[in-house]
Amino acid sequence: MKTTSLIFLILFLSLGLITLAAQETETNESTPEEVVDEGAEDEAEEEEKEKTIEELTENSDLIEGLFTFYRDRKTGEVRLLLSEDDLDKEYLYFSYAENGPPESGWLTRGSYITYNAKLFVIRRFFDHIEFIEENTSFYFNPDKAISRAANANVSHSIFFEKKIESENEETGQILIKVDGLFLSESFIPIAPLPNPEKKPHEVFSMGDLSKDKSKIRTIKNYPENTDVRVEYVFENKKPYISGSSALTDPRFISVVIQHSLIAVPAEPMQPRFDDPRVGYFGQEVTDLSSTEAVPYRDMIKRWRLKKKDPDAALSEPVEPIVYWIENTTPVELRPIIEKAALTWNEAFEQAGFKNALQIKIQPDDAAWDAGDIRYNVLRWVSSPRPQYGGYGPSFLDPRSGEILGADVMLEHSVISRQIREGQTLGDPSLDAYHFQHNPEVCTAAFHAKNEFQFANFALEALGATTEENQRLLEEFIYFLTLHEIGHTLGLSHNFKSSYLHSLDDIYDPDKTYSKGL
């Protein structure tokens, strides 16, 4: 019995030793591999963290200007290099649509998205960088004690934040990835808002923004501004409405938007406050330190004009307002457009300025395009489904009301005799939702085009001569240009001027040509 028990004990211990040995062998075989993997992963993470700015940008193109960008040559990824001087500093943001179908809403070529530039700052918060839009709608008198309560219950907007990718502690330089800043809707909403008066199945839908297909097309950098042009691609796999012929495929729609980051003027222009009897566009500002019944400090939108000779009754400006006629404009119409634009100098002379406004022609081989915000351009486009006949936007510095840039959009359809969409007069696409419901949209060009079309048919029916037809064309282009440039000078409509002449006198060219109609 004892012998049997001893044998079983020996067998049990032997099996235990064999099992333990096997476990140790398995442990010895697997543990080093796992340790190596974890160690390699830690080293890889540490190596990634420790990459310098130079290492991260060695395969990238340097794009210098107001801001410094690096763009990876292989992936196209964009990084922003910031210095200490770039932080806690005010900048302006402006955007416009370079291209888009009418189904995109107001995002057709030349359409301004931000009429009043946004004021923003770039700030550091520990290991993150924040882009913050400041509120410019209120004013506090700095001489009053209540000014210490400025910005109480007013929210700024943190529209983008990103973790710092690399930092040079000696130079203070910071590197961050900014694809997300431009390829998202951080700066502005891109897709149009739905029409609340219609059901979803009754209107065209662009669908959702595609992160994979959207791309930064170009970055153009200058000392005072950086222009980033982005193609946003929207996908709607099963659109209920197919849209117009302007869409190649209604499932996939591209809209090109230009984002402009602008240095603020070193010295803000002295603002001029609005007088409602005149009729200016402007920036709304409320004085929250005032006790007046109308505590408004609305600043009118105007160009910064200074006399070369301040003592002269009539002087040329230090810097004139220069407009360029885009090289897409029909050659035969350029003299008419130039003459109409320069007529505004008669008004500036009454204000003491000689040759305040100048006109130049964009060369056919110009190295810049009309989207370059350094140039004010009288643009000429031809669209399959025009959203306007003429359109004169400008954008301003919200701190002062100073106009920083302007364009005039003129649509080729206004002189076309082609009958579209089965209509005899006009283009029904112009009778769109934003025209019916947006009081800020000017429809003067739309109605003038209808009148021009009607007059064309009337002259043809009456057997008019070529000279009479030409005169009608010139007067129409003259009116259209004069009107839209007026908007870019900051002026809203003055319909009381319609009462300048009696019903009999409006047919007297001696009076209408000398004083206007």
Side-chain angles (χ1 to χ4, degrees):
M1 186 70 179
K2 291 182 178 178
T3 305
T4 304
S5 300
L6 183 61
I7 291 171
F8 275 115
L9 179 62
I10 293 171
L11 286 173
F12 177 77
L13 291 174
S14 299
L15 287 171
L17 290 171
I18 292 170
T19 303
L20 182 61
Q23 289 177 345
E24 288 180 353
T25 302
E26 185 179 347
T27 303
N28 291 335
E29 288 177 354
S30 60
T31 302
E33 186 178 345
E34 291 176 4
V35 171
V36 169
D37 283 347
E38 291 176 3
E41 188 176 330
D42 290 342
E43 287 178 14
E45 290 180 2
E46 192 66 28
E47 197 173 302
E48 184 69 24
K49 292 177 183 177
E50 292 179 356
K51 276 190 176 181
T52 65
I53 293 174
E54 290 74 16
E55 289 171 333
L56 288 168
T57 59
E58 62 181 349
N59 294 318
S60 300
D61 291 322
L62 174 64
I63 308 172
E64 292 185 292
L66 174 64
F67 289 99
T68 301
F69 289 92
Y70 285 96
R71 187 159 203 185
D72 191 285
R73 299 187 191 97
K74 183 178 181 180
T75 65
E77 187 176 37
V78 177
R79 290 178 168 91
L80 173 63
L81 182 69
L82 295 169
S83 67
E84 292 180 349
D85 292 338
D86 296 324
L87 303 178
D88 302 312
K89 184 178 178 181
E90 292 181 337
Y91 299 95
L92 296 175
Y93 167 79
F94 162 75
S95 59
Y96 88 99
E98 171 56 26
N99 219 34
E103 284 78 4
S104 66
W106 192 238
L107 302 179
T108 53
R109 176 166 294 187
S111 298
Y112 280 26
I113 303 172
T114 47
Y115 289 93
N116 297 347
K118 297 181 179 183
L119 188 71
F120 75 95
V121 295
I122 304 174
R123 292 200 176 104
R124 177 171 185 164
F125 187 76
F126 294 97
D127 62 344
H128 281 68
I129 295 296
E130 297 179 334
F131 285 68
I132 305 171
E133 181 185 351
E134 299 290 0
N135 194 308
T136 57
S137 299
F138 305 103
Y139 169 82
F140 283 83
N141 187 333
D143 296 329
K144 294 183 178 181
I146 192 65
S147 65
R148 298 186 180 93
N151 295 321
N153 303 322
V154 175
S155 173
H156 61 208
S157 170
I158 303 176
F159 59 90
F160 182 76
E161 66 86 28
K162 193 69 176 178
K163 187 175 181 179
I164 295 171
E165 186 178 19
S166 184
E167 180 176 6
N168 187 323
E169 294 184 358
E170 292 184 5
T171 64
Q173 291 179 317
I174 295 169
L175 191 70
I176 62 171
K177 295 179 179 180
V178 289
D179 280 352
L181 173 62
F182 297 105
L183 294 179
S184 65
E185 295 180 280
S186 295
F187 278 117
I188 52 168
I190 307 297
L193 295 174
N195 183 341
E197 296 184 0
K198 292 188 177 182
K199 297 177 181 178
H201 69 273
E202 295 177 334
V203 293
F204 181 86
S205 174
M206 290 175 61
D208 299 320
L209 181 64
S210 171
K211 294 182 179 179
D212 295 330
K213 293 182 179 178
S214 299
K215 62 189 73 70
I216 296 174
R217 277 190 172 183
T218 59
I219 300 175
K220 295 185 178 181
N221 229 342
Y222 311 100
E224 299 298 321
N225 63 287
T226 297
D227 298 335
V228 181
R229 197 166 288 182
V230 180
E231 179 180 0
Y232 295 95
V233 181
F234 291 85
E235 294 184 341
N236 184 355
K237 296 300 176 63
K238 295 182 179 180
Y240 192 86
I241 297 176
S242 60
S244 71
S245 58
L247 302 179
T248 305
D249 187 328
R251 297 175 301 165
F252 311 105
I253 297 178
S254 290
V255 176
V256 180
I257 305 294
Q258 180 169 295
H259 305 276
S260 293
L261 313 180
I262 309 167
V264 297
E267 294 184 11
M269 181 184 70
Q270 180 67 35
R272 183 170 296 170
F273 299 119
D274 183 40
D275 185 330
R277 296 172 297 176
V278 180
Y280 274 92
F281 295 114
Q283 169 79 4
E284 293 184 6
V285 180
T286 300
D287 184 354
L288 291 184
S289 60
S290 172
T291 57
E292 299 295 326
V294 283
Y296 306 128
R297 289 172 55 91
D298 297 350
M299 299 175 290
I300 68 170
K301 179 186 285 191
R302 66 190 180 107
W303 292 90
R304 186 189 297 226
L305 285 177
K306 292 184 178 180
K307 289 184 176 181
K308 283 184 178 178
D309 184 356
D311 298 325
L314 189 64
S315 170
E316 290 190 345
V318 175
E319 291 186 16
I321 306 167
V322 180
Y323 287 88
W324 293 77
I325 297 177
E326 190 175 16
N327 54 22
T328 58
T329 307
V331 175
E332 64 274 15
L333 297 182
R334 295 178 187 182
I336 307 172
I337 293 172
E338 180 177 7
K339 180 180 178 182
L342 292 176
T343 302
W344 275 102
N345 278 330
E346 295 178 16
F348 280 109
E349 286 180 4
Q350 297 300 311
F353 290 95
K354 181 181 179 181
N355 298 324
L357 192 148
Q358 296 181 8
I359 297 294
K360 297 182 179 181
I361 308 292
Q362 181 190 22
D364 290 339
D365 60 351
W368 55 275
D369 62 39
D372 191 332
I373 66 168
R374 298 175 300 167
Y375 298 87
N376 310 304
V377 185
L378 298 163
R379 309 187 64 176
W380 194 274
V381 298
S382 183
S383 308
R385 190 179 168 205
Q387 294 296 288
Y388 49 76
Y391 168 56
S394 58
F395 69 96
L396 58 78
D397 180 350
R399 306 174 306 163
S400 64
E402 178 184 0
I403 297 176
L404 300 175
D407 291 309
V408 170
M409 302 300 300
L410 300 173
E411 172 62 57
H412 192 67
S413 67
V414 297
I415 63 170
S416 173
R417 294 168 62 88
Q418 179 183 2
I419 306 303
R420 300 185 177 193
E421 308 280 344
Q423 298 292 315
T424 303
L425 293 173
D427 188 337
S429 65
L430 288 171
D431 191 25
Y433 176 79
H434 62 264
F435 273 95
Q436 297 178 39
H437 298 270
N438 188 346
E440 296 182 0
V441 172
C442 169
T443 59
F446 168 60
H447 295 295
K449 175 197 171 181
N450 283 347
E451 293 169 358
F452 173 64
Q453 289 270 33
F454 178 82
N456 255 320
F457 296 140
L459 285 177
E460 185 175 336
L462 295 170
T465 64
T466 303
E467 289 75 15
E468 288 173 321
N469 281 308
Q470 180 63 22
R471 176 177 166 184
L472 174 65
L473 173 64
E474 290 182 1
E475 290 190 6
F476 171 64
I477 295 298
Y478 189 93
F479 160 79
L480 191 61
T481 304
L482 201 65
H483 182 99
E484 301 304 341
I485 285 184
H487 285 323
T488 67
L489 298 175
L491 294 165
S492 60
H493 291 129
N494 175 18
F495 288 115
K496 191 171 178 62
S497 65
S498 302
Y499 299 94
L500 179 64
H501 303 290
S502 68
L503 290 177
D504 292 330
D505 288 346
I506 63 173
Y507 297 104
D508 185 347
D510 292 335
K511 294 180 180 178
T512 59
Y513 270 66
S514 61
K515 294 183 179 180
L517 182 61

